[in-house]
Amino acid sequence: MGALSPAHWAIVAVVLLVLFGSKKLPEAARGLGRSMRILKSEVGEMHADDAAPVTISGPQTDRKD
């Protein structure tokens, strides 16, 4: 089995168009793009958090006795 030929991709596109309609496909692609951007930014923040030094301090009290 090899990669999908252009004819196979055309069949897949027609089936998706019939199943979801021409209005739903752009909305779904837009939502997927937003989700991917959010995921990418969250992963970047996680990497930045891992690179930042962690400092642990004891409990702080503001009491004046």
Side-chain angles (χ1 to χ4, degrees):
M1 297 215 74
L4 294 177
S5 69
H8 290 119
W9 284 112
I11 292 170
V12 169
V14 169
V15 168
L16 287 175
L17 188 62
V18 168
L19 287 177
F20 296 108
S22 61
K23 184 173 180 182
K24 292 287 184 182
L25 286 179
E27 292 173 8
R30 200 171 297 120
L32 181 64
R34 280 190 204 120
S35 298
M36 293 302 294
R37 280 192 298 274
I38 291 170
L39 177 66
K40 186 177 178 181
S41 69
E42 292 295 325
V43 168
E45 288 179 19
M46 286 175 48
H47 287 296
D49 288 345
D50 289 343
V54 177
T55 59
I56 299 174
S57 62
Q60 298 176 356
T61 58
D62 292 336
R63 285 205 247 161
K64 295 180 181 179
D65 291 43

